[in-house]
Amino acid sequence: MLAGPPRPAPRRVLRARRLRLRRTDAAPLPGRPGPGDPERTGHHAALEAVAPFFLGNEVWLVAFAGVLFGAFPHLEGTLLPGLYPLIVAILVGLVLGNAAVQLRGRARTERGRRRWGALIVFGGAVPALCWGLLLGLLLHGVPRRADGSFHIALGDVFTPFVVACGVTVVPLFAAHGAAFVALRSAPALASEAQRLGTGLLRAAGAAALLPVLLTLFGAGAALTNPGTSAALTALFGMALTGAWWCLSRGRHGRAFAATCCATMLPVPIVGAGHYPYVLISSSGPGMTVGEAVTDGATLRILTVFGIVLIPVILAYQTWSWWAFRGRTGRRHPRYF
């Protein structure tokens, strides 16, 4: 007899097959945490919350540096040679930290992940410390030679005021990251980031008191516009206080907005406090904006370049922010 058409498998058999396929798909790759692994809800989840935004936003750092030194070439030629150690340390930290973020997920052992995690911390702490030291140097004033160049020795960096500025920036940047992790993560990790962030903000506020006190006693910042600088410093203190208040009460979005203001305000404090100088010298006259700025033709080229390129960068960044919006764990593309 001829065999008839095959009979369809029972529904329970089909359901069992689908369940096996789902389990196979959900199995983690070797060395990578699975969905239920504590590692997925800990360090890996924190990196997944931060990496698509903070690492992608470094393009603005590169663009800002290029435009700044294109518009002020004399500033670059006189200042950067004395700041090479700090600039190189910032770049080394950024490169090592970014590489460690990408390579940590490829580690096959817990010991390997801890090593890459330590390198991530190092790659974040070194640029933050060096940026704070750089801000402290610019606020305090850098020695100027007779030929007009600025020379920065090791003793100029390790002064109480400059070191205090560097120590202030490290917990401030860490609190900024903790606020963002709290905003982007699942409730368990958000609660841990909230607790860590409030402690870091208290540490940043306590460290910021020392540069202020040194300036009041004449051993800190050298400012040509002390009133403007005092107003901006008060705003900085209000931003820190507001960030701590909002983060301690679980208002993560407002806390992140406040830490954004706190991390940006030191730059206008330097600019507005020194105007019309772009550099204040601790020995003689500084460099004015007119001395540092480039010619009109170069400024027009930079303006056209910015009008064309900035909208393209904004469009790409907006798409990236939209693709990774929401808290981690929801349905959006995974960065790793």
Side-chain angles (χ1 to χ4, degrees):
M1 295 178 62
L2 295 176
R7 298 179 60 185
R11 291 184 178 179
R12 62 178 180 275
V13 176
L14 294 176
R15 284 197 297 267
R17 289 177 181 174
R18 285 196 294 267
L19 183 60
R20 284 197 299 270
L21 289 174
R22 289 175 183 172
R23 288 175 178 173
T24 303
D25 293 340
L29 296 175
R32 297 191 181 185
D37 198 307
E39 179 74 10
R40 170 68 70 181
T41 59
H43 298 154
H44 190 91
L47 289 175
E48 192 172 26
V50 171
F53 294 85
F54 276 48
L55 300 186
N57 289 350
E58 287 176 1
V59 67
W60 294 107
L61 178 63
V62 177
F64 174 78
V67 172
L68 177 65
F69 291 130
F72 300 95
H74 304 294
L75 175 65
E76 175 190 9
T78 56
L79 181 63
L80 275 190
L83 294 176
Y84 275 148
L86 292 178
I87 299 297
V88 170
I90 290 174
L91 294 176
V92 169
L94 290 174
V95 171
L96 291 179
N98 289 356
V101 167
Q102 303 296 336
L103 295 174
R104 184 180 183 276
R106 298 179 180 272
R108 296 181 178 274
T109 63
E110 180 61 28
R111 186 177 182 181
R113 285 195 289 269
R114 283 199 301 268
R115 289 177 177 176
W116 288 119
L119 191 57
I120 292 172
V121 174
F122 175 83
V126 168
L129 176 63
C130 293
W131 177 245
L133 295 176
L134 178 59
L135 289 172
L137 281 170
L138 295 178
L139 284 169
H140 183 64
V142 290
R144 192 173 191 180
R145 294 173 173 174
D147 60 357
S149 63
F150 290 86
H151 174 69
I152 299 172
L154 193 62
D156 298 317
V157 177
F158 292 101
T159 61
F161 177 79
V162 175
V163 172
C165 290
V167 172
T168 300
V169 170
V170 174
L172 172 61
F173 280 16
H176 182 53
F180 190 71
V181 171
L183 178 64
R184 284 261 298 154
S185 301
L189 182 58
S191 177
E192 183 178 352
Q194 175 181 327
R195 177 185 56 80
L196 179 62
T198 52
L200 289 168
L201 286 169
R202 286 194 296 267
L209 289 176
L210 181 57
V212 174
L213 292 176
L214 288 172
T215 301
L216 292 176
F217 286 101
L223 303 167
T224 57
N225 301 307
T228 305
S229 300
L232 291 173
T233 303
L235 287 177
F236 175 78
M238 292 171 60
L240 278 181
T241 305
W244 174 83
W245 190 87
C246 293
L247 193 61
S248 61
R249 284 158 178 76
R251 300 178 181 180
H252 302 151
R254 295 181 182 181
F256 178 68
T259 57
C260 285
C261 295
T263 53
M264 290 188 296
L265 275 171
V267 175
I269 289 174
V270 174
H274 287 172
Y275 188 82
Y277 296 94
V278 292
L279 279 180
I280 292 292
S281 175
S282 57
S283 57
M287 176 182 287
T288 64
V289 176
E291 293 173 342
V293 74
T294 188
D295 57 276
T298 304
L299 287 177
R300 286 192 293 272
I301 293 174
L302 288 173
T303 302
V304 174
F305 178 77
I307 292 174
V308 173
L309 188 60
I310 288 179
V312 176
I313 300 177
L314 277 175
Y316 166 75
Q317 289 292 92
T318 302
W319 173 84
S320 175
W321 297 333
W322 178 258
F324 291 98
R325 69 192 183 278
R327 294 183 180 271
T328 55
R330 297 184 178 180
R331 288 192 171 185
H332 61 72
R334 288 197 178 276
Y335 184 77
F336 298 102

